Amino acid sequence: MKKIILFGLVMIAGISLNAQVSVGLKGGTSFSSIQIKESSQSMKSTSDNRTGFVLGGYATISMSDKLKLQPEFLYQGMGGSIENVTFKNEYVSIPVLLKYGITDNFYLEAGPQFSLLVSSKAADEDIKDAFKSSDFQVLIGASLNFTDKIGAGVRYGMGMSNIASSSFNSSVNTDIRNKAFMVMVSYKIF
């Protein structure tokens, strides 16, 4: 875990050596749920939301006046609640967003996000073995810069991979996917 965080910080610092790059911090709230499909019963359900936090850093690389590439390194709480049991899945996520400027301060953004599972708990029990160690999502969103330093954004992540391991429910073929809506603020360091 410490090596992953150190790698992310070194990556962001190394990218910032170019004059067309800005680096900053971001944080906010994640409203996540999990979608469950069980093939034996043709059952499909979505959990209630779990509110978690998102915290990390980003680097914005200007490719033109309107187009920017923004890799991020985030710690993100995901999961959901089913029948009064809350699944608390914590991930280290690396989104890579392509941002297009509609105006000088308003951007539409989209891109992939790869996440590594750090921990998973339900009813204070470790259930990390019930989930796969990684997740892949597609993100869409928008961001607005209020000043040269301060901004805010919203985004939605759709899980593209099944996160249920074979030990989740061995008698039934179960497909579980993360979904998350995030609201974040950002602060540009340089």
Side-chain angles (χ1 to χ4, degrees):
M1 173 67 181
K2 290 179 185 177
K3 290 180 182 179
I4 293 172
I5 293 172
L6 182 61
F7 172 75
L9 293 174
V10 168
M11 180 183 77
I12 290 172
I15 290 173
S16 67
L17 296 175
N18 186 340
Q20 296 296 319
V21 175
S22 61
V23 174
L25 301 172
K26 62 174 35 190
T29 304
S30 173
F31 304 97
S32 62
S33 63
I34 49 179
Q35 182 179 34
I36 302 170
K37 294 182 200 174
E38 291 183 354
S39 61
S40 67
Q41 301 172 354
S42 298
M43 185 184 98
K44 180 179 178 181
S45 64
T46 301
S47 71
D48 293 331
N49 282 339
R50 174 195 176 215
T51 303
F53 69 92
V54 181
L55 185 63
Y58 68 91
T60 304
I61 304 160
S62 294
M63 298 171 12
S64 73
D65 287 342
K66 296 270 188 195
L67 197 59
K68 299 179 185 309
L69 182 68
Q70 184 167 294
E72 299 177 353
F73 187 80
L74 305 172
Y75 187 87
Q76 182 176 6
M78 289 198 262
S81 294
I82 301 172
E83 297 176 6
N84 296 323
V85 176
T86 300
F87 293 90
K88 297 179 181 179
N89 297 344
E90 306 293 330
Y91 287 89
V92 170
S93 300
I94 302 172
V96 179
L97 301 171
L98 193 59
K99 298 178 64 159
Y100 181 76
I102 302 298
T103 68
D104 289 342
N105 295 325
F106 181 69
Y107 291 87
L108 297 179
E109 52 193 41
Q113 173 174 287
F114 179 75
S115 301
L116 296 173
L117 183 64
V118 175
S119 70
S120 181
K121 293 186 178 185
D124 292 327
E125 290 185 36
D126 185 354
I127 58 167
K128 191 174 177 182
D129 291 341
F131 296 99
K132 293 181 181 174
S133 62
S134 63
D135 182 31
F136 179 75
Q137 292 187 351
V138 172
L139 305 175
I140 57 170
S143 60
L144 177 65
N145 295 332
F146 299 116
T147 68
D148 286 345
K149 298 252 182 211
I150 298 172
V154 295
R155 68 175 67 146
Y156 180 73
M158 299 167 281
M160 304 305 283
S161 61
N162 179 10
I163 61 169
S165 73
S166 58
S167 65
F168 187 83
N169 189 348
S170 58
S171 63
V172 178
N173 186 12
T174 305
D175 185 279
I176 301 175
R177 295 176 191 251
N178 280 317
K179 298 192 300 184
F181 177 76
M182 293 159 274
V183 178
M184 293 178 282
V185 294
S186 60
Y187 179 76
K188 182 172 123 179
I189 298 170
F190 56 88

